Amino acid sequence: MKLILLGPPGAGKGTQAQRLVETHGLVQLSTGDMLRAAVKNGTPVGLKAKDVMARGELVSDEIVVGIIEDRIAEPDCAKGFILDGFPRTVAQAEALDAMLAKSGMKLDAVIELKVDEGILVGRIEKRVAEMTARGEPVRADDNAEALKKRLDAYRAQTAPVSDYYASKGALKTVDGMAPIDDVTKAIAGHLGV
């Protein structure tokens, strides 16, 4: 199974990806983690990324897709993978599709977790208050204002990716506001498992 999980920050993509990993033996691929590993391992694509990052620039879509291409060729991805944090733009989705086609692969599903953004903001405010009350450290970006900025960026850059996959007939949607187990069942239903 080759999957993409879409949805705004806080929609539950990480939780659902982890459940798919445990249930189906898939590999969850985080582009950030893959980028750091490629740089650390000195792969050809990683060396290109290192040079770009050393100049303080953003890594190009071409480099990110190259890192994904290298990673999905590894044996642990033979059963399948879930892309986490990619694609973030339509250009990245197009580049991913082209790379997969070149490799003789295609996505089995693109699943979007639909959520109410107002409730997400309320959830984060509640979580931060609970963590603070327990004396736990709170990440600097774990607050309502940061979430609102991330949601704005998601709507501007990543939400069009849903339309891209919908136009190809590949997008499936799930109510991300449902209880976690119900979301898991809905995803399984879309995957036919």
Side-chain angles (χ1 to χ4, degrees):
M1 256 186 279
K2 296 159 196 71
L3 310 172
I4 294 173
L5 289 179
L6 295 175
K13 298 181 302 293
T15 298
Q16 294 304 322
Q18 194 53 48
R19 287 179 169 215
L20 289 163
V21 165
E22 292 167 4
T23 306
H24 301 289
L26 305 176
V27 177
Q28 182 178 1
L29 301 179
S30 161
T31 52
D33 292 346
M34 287 186 291
L35 185 60
R36 286 183 287 279
V39 169
K40 180 182 174 196
N41 295 331
T43 68
V45 177
L47 293 174
K48 282 185 196 174
K50 183 178 182 179
D51 289 342
V52 170
M53 291 163 46
R55 294 190 303 266
E57 299 172 8
L58 292 176
V59 177
S60 70
D61 292 351
E62 177 186 345
I63 291 173
V64 175
V65 171
I67 287 170
I68 292 170
E69 184 173 21
D70 288 350
R71 181 64 181 88
I72 65 176
E74 293 181 22
D76 65 337
C77 287
K79 281 187 170 183
F81 56 83
I82 304 161
L83 286 171
D84 174 10
F86 190 86
R88 290 190 191 274
T89 65
V90 172
Q92 289 178 351
E94 292 168 343
L96 174 65
D97 286 350
M99 180 274 294
L100 289 173
K102 184 179 89 174
S103 302
M105 294 184 238
K106 67 180 185 66
L107 293 168
D108 293 299
V110 178
I111 298 174
E112 180 179 26
L113 301 178
K114 292 279 202 180
V115 295
D116 179 313
E117 292 182 8
I119 293 174
L120 288 183
V121 172
R123 281 183 184 170
I124 195 130
E125 290 170 338
K126 180 180 177 192
R127 183 173 72 211
V128 168
E130 289 171 351
M131 290 174 72
T132 302
R134 290 191 300 264
E136 296 174 7
V138 177
R139 284 181 9 199
D141 67 343
D142 206 3
N143 60 67
E145 193 57 41
L147 178 61
K148 288 175 187 173
K149 287 179 184 173
R150 290 169 58 207
L151 290 171
D152 288 344
Y154 175 82
R155 276 192 305 279
Q157 297 176 354
T158 308
V161 173
S162 298
D163 296 334
Y164 170 78
Y165 284 115
S167 73
K168 298 176 80 122
L171 184 71
K172 309 290 184 205
T173 60
V174 171
D175 177 6
M177 301 309 294
I180 293 171
D181 289 341
D182 292 350
V183 174
T184 301
K185 287 176 190 167
I187 290 171
H190 284 309
L191 299 176
V193 292

